Structures are given as C-alpha cells and as structure tokens.
Amino acid sequence: MKQRFWNSLTLCLALLAALPAPSWAAGYTQTRYPIVLVHGLFGFDSVGPVDYFYGIASALRSGGADVYVTSVSAANSTEVRGEQLLLQVRQILAATGAAKVNLVGHSHGGPTSRYVASVRPDLVASVTSVGGVNKGSRVADVLIGAVPDVTYSVANAVSGLISFLSGSPALPQNARAAATSLSTAGTLAFNSRHPQGVPTSACGEGDYQVNGVHYFSWSGAQPYTNVLDASDPVLALTALAFNGAKNDGLVSSCSSHLGRVIRDDYALNHLDEVNQLIGISNLFETNPVTIYRQQANRLQGLGL
C-alpha cells in the first residue's frame, strides 16, 4: 500500500514537472538571447510616460527577459530603417556579450527586423512579426495614389517631431519612401531580395527556420475593439480599404503572415497589438502583454 502511494506520488510529480510553467512563474520570459523591440511607422521608443510598446518591456523583464527598445526613423524605407536597427543590434551585442538577439517588430518593424535577419543572420536568433506588413498594405496603396506631395512634407515634419520628443538622435525622415516600402508593390520588391520566412502561397505559412533564424508572426483582426479608445474609429475607417478581408485596421491578416503563424485572428486592432492606446484594448480577448510573454516563453522553450 505504501509503495503504491509513493509510486503514485512520483508519477504525479513527474507529470507536474512536464507541464509548461504558468505565465506568472519566475523566469517565464527569460530567454537565452536579449529581446529587441522594433517600432513601426510613426513609432518611437517612449515619449514622456508613454511607451510605444506600452507596458510590454517591463512585463517581459519582470519574468527574467533582457529587453531593449530600439528607435529607428519614424518614417523611412525598410532598408534605411534596417541599417539603423542593425547598428543598434551590434551595440546591444557589444554591451551584453550575447551572440544573438530575438527581434520583435510591430507593423513596419516586421520588415525592418527581417532586413537585419537577412543581411546578418549570424546575429539574429529569431524574428517575430506582430501585425507586420509582410505583403503590403492596401492602406498604403490607397495613400500613394491619393496623397499630394505637401502631405509627405507634413508627415516628415511630424516624424521628426516624434523623434525629437522621444529623445532620439536626429534621424532621416522620408514619408514617401516609407509609403512605397509598405505598399503591395514595394513589399513585393523587398521580398524578392529578402524572402526568408515569407509564405509562397497567398495566405499560408512561410519557412519556420532559415539560415538558423526562427520566424514567427501573429496579428489581430478586429479594427474596432473598445469604445473608450479614441483611435478605434480611425482604424474602423481605414479597414474599409480591405473590402471585407480580415484585417486589423491597417494590415490584412494574410499580409501579416511570416514563418510560423501563431494566430492571425486575435480580436485586436493594429494599435492594440502594442497595447495602445495606453493599455485600452479588447476586454474579451487575451491581453496583448500576455501574448508577448507567451512568445518569450515559446522562444525560451526553443533555447532562444
């Protein structure tokens, strides 16, 4: 009888040990390599008390992750932003002694991260694209054909102001180049030069691993998510450009696919994906911060 008890207890303990750690457990987000967050169009690291990745870096650090938030041109081509990011990746590696980084890019930050992984795969362990413009955005297509030149000048000024307010060094701004990079034609050209992880089918998955770099993606698919969020009506309007295709207000779900698609239908919009506006998102969906923590734990499980 006593022997059966100990055998059963041993079995229970073994089963518990095999279960994944709960999201609140110590070390849950502790990855082997630093996590580097990369903002999208008109993005920043922080302006005053507001972080672009609102509450995300601190939540990842609380679970043991070493996290860095980069700052590239608020508006410029993918290649220009990519070279800026590459410089910061080198600086992070020099400061930490790490061999590689895990890049997590939102929106235009997705292709920006892909550029670095393409030209220097030896420095990158993984790329996670969040609402990434990996096959173009219909919103960018519409704007290129409808926006007068003066609007680009205003956008450049706004981008420069964003960089100034965030305390970033003076970075070149080129809103027209950004729009071209984010268009369907622009991303098609970019993908021909940097195809790693991009699905070859219209709405499928891409290669999970290329040149030693692991590729992941996830995105939202509900433009309007919270009546208290002032940005939601704008995203509900821009969502009309997709003619009913599933989208987050700025990027279609299929366009967001890269490598292993974790999910492309969270009830979140493009800004919810980075926990904006100041944490106001869909109360009936997984909290965006939790999704980032889950991805960090996924990377941890792969030894990244």
Side-chain angles (χ1 to χ4, degrees):
M1 182 71 177
K2 184 181 292 186
Q3 186 60 43
R4 284 202 303 271
F5 169 78
W6 286 112
N7 288 342
S8 298
L9 180 60
T10 301
L11 178 61
C12 288
L13 291 174
L15 290 173
L16 286 172
L19 291 174
S23 61
W24 44 261
Y28 181 78
T29 62
Q30 188 171 356
T31 53
R32 177 181 179 185
Y33 302 112
I35 293 175
V36 176
L37 302 177
V38 187
H39 66 73
L41 180 67
F42 297 132
F44 49 89
D45 47 6
S46 62
V47 174
V50 179
D51 296 330
Y52 180 89
F53 291 91
Y54 192 75
I56 292 167
S58 59
L60 292 172
R61 291 179 183 125
S62 71
D66 189 14
V67 184
Y68 294 84
V69 183
T70 56
S71 182
V72 297
S73 290
N76 216 315
S77 71
T78 301
E79 290 82 359
V80 168
R81 286 165 49 96
E83 283 295 322
Q84 294 168 354
L85 175 60
L86 178 56
L87 175 60
Q88 291 173 68
V89 165
R90 289 192 178 113
Q91 292 170 340
I92 291 167
L93 295 179
T96 61
K100 299 181 179 184
V101 296
N102 291 301
L103 296 174
V104 180
H106 174 246
S107 191
H108 199 180
T112 303
S113 300
R114 287 172 47 207
Y115 174 86
V116 175
S118 175
V119 300
R120 289 301 305 269
D122 56 310
L123 303 183
V124 181
S126 70
V127 171
T128 301
S129 175
V130 180
V133 192
N134 294 311
K135 287 194 174 181
S137 169
R138 280 286 300 150
V139 176
D141 294 342
V142 171
L143 289 177
I144 285 176
V147 171
D149 289 342
V150 66
T151 304
Y152 288 115
S153 298
V154 173
N156 288 337
V158 170
S159 300
L161 179 61
I162 289 171
S163 291
F164 173 76
L165 292 176
S166 66
S168 300
L171 295 170
Q173 308 295 337
N174 190 332
R176 182 184 290 277
T180 300
S181 285
L182 295 171
S183 69
T184 301
T187 53
L188 181 64
F190 177 79
N191 291 345
S192 69
R193 299 186 295 271
H194 310 283
Q196 297 88 344
V198 178
T200 55
S201 61
C203 199
E205 291 188 303
D207 291 332
Y208 286 16
Q209 187 176 356
V210 185
N211 297 329
V213 181
H214 295 254
Y215 289 89
F216 304 87
S217 59
W218 66 266
S219 61
Q222 188 170 319
Y224 200 105
T225 59
N226 194 311
V227 69
L228 298 178
D229 190 336
S231 64
D232 278 26
V234 177
L235 292 173
L237 180 63
T238 55
L240 298 176
F242 297 94
N243 299 319
K246 190 168 61 174
N247 70 90
D248 64 5
L250 288 177
V251 181
S252 74
S253 295
C254 290
S255 180
S256 73
H257 287 196
L258 182 75
R260 176 184 172 185
V261 180
I262 298 165
R263 269 186 67 179
D264 68 355
D265 60 351
Y266 285 103
L268 302 170
N269 63 34
H270 199 69
L271 293 185
D272 293 337
E273 291 162 357
V274 287
N275 203 33
Q276 292 289 353
L277 189 69
I278 58 172
I280 303 173
S281 61
N282 195 335
L283 298 176
F284 304 101
E285 180 56 274
T286 306
N287 187 285
V289 174
T290 298
I291 300 174
Y292 283 86
R293 286 174 56 81
Q294 290 172 340
Q295 176 62 359
N297 184 255
R298 188 176 288 112
L299 296 175
Q300 180 193 97
L302 290 171
L304 305 177

